[in-house]
């Protein structure tokens, strides 16, 4: 059995107390690897290595030219691409997702690295006319790396969420301490094997696996970490936000969602069903932006739900390696949490149209499978409408007027994503502008692109990932003012 280690200051190391944790394949419940369970001491060592590399190495990563950093990142992307099969299989075994979706993640990760390798060579900063009263002067800005970045990721897109942070952070010249979710560390370890072989100086990238309350807290509380970028639940995000106040860290938070998918009666029904499937059952519904609240015009509700249920009922569940329609949920405890939400929603009046139970047929007997679930008759205060379930569960609510639809869509503490389906262009634009969310779609659901920003309003987070905005999150802006006539007395002296 594989034993995978932490990577600290250029060395692969066991945890300081030698403890390992089990990594489990959720399709079978089997242990597939043992991973070094990093301690607070390991996290501190990693932070100090990243700090030394950033602040003391005169030939360090941040002093490499942007061109050099870009070239190194491009080689890393090439290497990742060459190991596409290995990475995709590892992701499926660790997370459960169907293999074709894991291939999609690897391809996206390669594309993200290439994007940021290019983006860092684009012009940034600005020039300002500032001569008012002070004589001839000129101000301009440059972008500099923030420093030591603590990057903490969830389990739903282990490789991709990691690369989404690592690529811009490293392109910008930062050093990094990375903590993946303990549910799914394996693709990250493999990615660090590629980073370890690159020309990055020791200490530039550090990997510490382990618990959130130990390693994760040590990173977010450390006064030696300059920025934390976190993707995960809103509850943990809130505690990280509080901890980051210690040294007023820069912070990026990509948190949970409970996103509305608003469907009007004039929508293309086949298209709306197709995208709604993608919106809530892709990646087992373990997607932050999932369209988990379908808000549909009353007159087409019955037909829509019938078609959606037909599709959902036909979905084949199985081991992700065999490319079923849907794989298992990530862990036993997560499966139990999802089933618990379904039970509570039923008690509160929801009607199960399809699914709603653990699936144990055939090869699924020992895995953590939940049938795709549609809950009808949901009032706006039903637990399944209010809480992020993060599984293959969608609620159905109806509206009669556009105003009612918008009100329902916005009746949530989250603001990550949302969509509207209609053939009326003016209405599409009107409604999408009213939805209080950072990522929105018209007549489609869930496509994401590295070229376009990603992030939430309200309790779904702060800051943006992907796109050029995602790169800027990992930079500080320095303003430089030049006196163009050094002999000139300042305005102050003249007075
Ligand atoms: P989680 O919050 O439980 O854990 C995320 C990471 O934080 C893990 O690595 C975990 O070990 C670590 N952690 C836990 N407690 C910590 C603490 N006190 N201090 C520091 N780190 C700590 O989330 P999860 O269950 O892994 O992932 C699911 C959540 O992630 C969902 O809420 C989902 O919406 C969210 N998510 C958001 C986005 C987005 O782009 N907005 C993307 C993917 C997932």
């Amino acid at each position: 059995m594989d034993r995978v280690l932490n990577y600290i200051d250029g060395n692969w190391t066991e945890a300081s107390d030698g403890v390992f944790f089990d990594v489990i394949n959720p399709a079978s419940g089997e242990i597939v690897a043992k991973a070094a369970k990093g301690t607070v001491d390991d996290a501190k060592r990693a932070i100090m290595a990243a700090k030394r590399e950033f602040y003391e190495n005169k030939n360090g990563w941040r002093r490499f030219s942007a061109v050099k950093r870009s070239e190194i990142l491009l080689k890393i992307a090439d290497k990742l691409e060459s190991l596409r099969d290995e990475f995709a299989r590892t992701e499926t075994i660790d997370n459960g997702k169907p293999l074709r979706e894991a291939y999609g993640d690897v391809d996206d990760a390669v594309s993200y690295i290439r994007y940021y390798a290019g983006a860092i060579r684009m012009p940034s900063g600005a020039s300002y006319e500032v001569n008012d009263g002070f004589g001839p002067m000129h101000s301009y800005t440059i972008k500099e790396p923030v420093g030591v970045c603590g990057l903490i990721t969830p389990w739903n897109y282990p490789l991709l969420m990691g690369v989404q942070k690592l690529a811009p952070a490293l392109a910008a010249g930062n050093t990094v301490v990375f903590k993946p979710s303990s549910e799914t560390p394996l693709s990250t370890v493999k990615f660090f094997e590629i980073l370890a072989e690159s020309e990055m100086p020791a200490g530039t990238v550090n990997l510490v696996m382990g618990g959130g309350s130990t390693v994760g807290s040590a990173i977010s509380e450390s006064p030696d970490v300059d920025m934390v970028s976190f993707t995960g639940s809103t509850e943990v995000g809130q505690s990280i936000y509080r901890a980051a106040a210690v040294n007023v860290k820069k912070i990026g938070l990509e948190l949970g969602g409970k996103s509305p998918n608003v469907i009007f009666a004039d929508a293309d029904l086949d298209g709306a069903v197709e995208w709604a499937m993608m919106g809530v059952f892709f990646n087992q519904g373990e997607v932050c932006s999932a369209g988990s609240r379908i808000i549909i015009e009353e007159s087409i509700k019955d037909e829509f739900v019938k078609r959606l249920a037909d599709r959902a009922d036909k979905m084949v569940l199985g081991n992700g390696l065999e490319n079923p329609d849907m794989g298992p949920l990530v862990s036993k405890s997560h499966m139990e949490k999802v089933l618990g939400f379904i039970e509570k929603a039923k008690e509160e009046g929801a009607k199960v149209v399809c699914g709603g139970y653990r699936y144990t047929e055939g090869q699924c007997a020992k895995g953590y499978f939940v049938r795709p679930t549609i809950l009808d008759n949901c009032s706006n205060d039903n637990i399944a409408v209010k809480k992020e379930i993060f599984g293959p569960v969608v609620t159905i609510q109806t509206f009669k007027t556009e105003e009612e639809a918008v009100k329902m869509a916005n009746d949530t503490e989250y603001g990550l994503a949302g969509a509207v389906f209609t053939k009326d262009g003016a209405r599409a634009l009107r409604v999408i502008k009213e939805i209080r969310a950072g990522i929105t779609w018209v007549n489609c659901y869930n496509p994401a692109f590295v070229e376009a920003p990603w992030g939430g309003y309200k309790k779904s987070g702060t800051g943006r990932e992907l796109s050029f905005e995602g790169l800027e999150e990992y930079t500080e802006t320095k303003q430089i003012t030049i006196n163009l006539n050094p002999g000139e007395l300042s305005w102050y002296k003249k007075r």
Side-chain angles (χ1 to χ4, degrees), residues 153-156 179 212 216 230-233 254-256 288 388 390 454:
T153 53
W155 45 255
N156 62 333
K179 192 200 99 57
F230 168 80
T231 300
S233 62
E254 296 289 336
L255 309 178
C288 52
E388 183 185 45
F390 219 57
W454 183 272

Side-chain angles (χ1 to χ4, degrees), residues 361-373:
E361 296 291 308
Q363 58 159 231
C364 297
K366 292 193 177 141
Y368 312 131
F369 296 85
V370 172
R371 285 293 320 170
T373 302

Side-chain angles (χ1 to χ4, degrees), residues 130-262:
V130 290
N131 54 11
D132 204 15
F134 284 90
M137 298 206 181
H138 184 76
S139 292
Y140 68 101
T141 55
I142 57 169
K143 298 286 181 179
E144 296 191 326
V146 182
V148 176
C149 295
L151 310 179
I152 304 174
T153 53
W155 45 255
N156 62 333
Y157 288 90
L159 175 70
L160 196 57
M161 293 288 115
V163 166
Q164 194 161 313
K165 296 185 190 302
L166 282 162
L170 292 169
N174 298 283
T175 59
V176 158
V177 178
F178 189 98
K179 192 200 99 57
S181 168
S182 302
E183 303 289 359
T184 52
L186 298 183
S187 59
T188 308
V189 174
K190 278 195 170 302
F191 188 63
F192 268 74
E193 286 168 7
I194 298 178
L195 297 179
E197 283 170 13
S198 77
E199 295 158 67
M200 287 175 193
T204 304
V205 287
N206 302 275
L207 168 68
V208 190
M209 298 175 280
S213 57
T214 51
V215 175
S217 293
I219 292 171
S220 48
E221 287 167 10
S222 170
D224 296 310
V225 171
D226 301 295
M227 169 173 179
V228 171
S229 177
F230 168 80
T231 300
S233 62
T234 295
E235 293 69 27
V236 174
Q238 286 169 320
S239 75
I240 287 178
Y241 216 166
R242 279 191 292 272
V246 68
N247 57 330
V248 196
K249 285 186 202 356
K250 231 172 130 77
I251 189 110
L253 297 173
E254 296 289 336
L255 309 178
K258 191 75 214 179
S259 301
N261 183 0
V262 179

